[in-house]
Amino acid sequence: MVTQSEVKAVRGALGLTQADFAGILGLDAMTVSRLERGLTSPNSEVEAVVAGLHPLEPPMVARLGAELARLAATRGTLAAKARLLAFAVEHREEETP
């Protein structure tokens, strides 16, 4: 299970506000706030995103954040969510022995 500090670190590395991160994940900003304070447990999508992105280098995550912001602005949050989940799962699988 991912920790509250990992959730916050990934969101910060992506360069997204709690509201933007929440929108992409289909959550509300208060849920992200509660996740980051350890008041609630992450769902499977948040687990996949954080587990897939947390060990990556910050510049790579920052580039993904910029791409997500562009996708959300031009094609909507669903497109950004799909890209985020695909990226996280792809990188999580690369690290699995």
Side-chain angles (χ1 to χ4, degrees):
M1 177 172 249
V2 300
T3 66
Q4 63 197 56
S5 61
E6 291 171 334
V7 173
K8 189 171 186 172
V10 165
R11 180 186 60 78
L14 287 168
L16 298 173
T17 64
Q18 287 180 340
D20 291 340
F21 191 55
I24 289 170
L25 291 172
L27 305 171
D28 59 54
M30 186 56 71
T31 299
V32 172
S33 175
R34 287 192 300 265
L35 285 167
E36 291 181 355
R37 291 181 287 140
L39 300 176
T40 190
S41 299
N43 64 26
S44 59
E45 289 180 344
V46 174
E47 279 276 341
V49 167
V50 174
L53 299 182
H54 187 259
L56 299 179
E57 293 294 320
M60 177 183 281
V61 178
R63 283 192 301 274
L64 175 62
E67 179 183 349
L68 294 174
R70 281 191 305 275
L71 275 172
T74 60
R75 295 180 43 206
T77 56
L78 188 57
K81 180 179 182 177
R83 175 66 178 123
L84 177 61
L85 291 173
F87 186 92
V89 168
E90 173 184 312
H91 285 82
R92 187 174 188 182
E93 289 173 356
E94 286 177 3
E95 294 177 10
T96 303

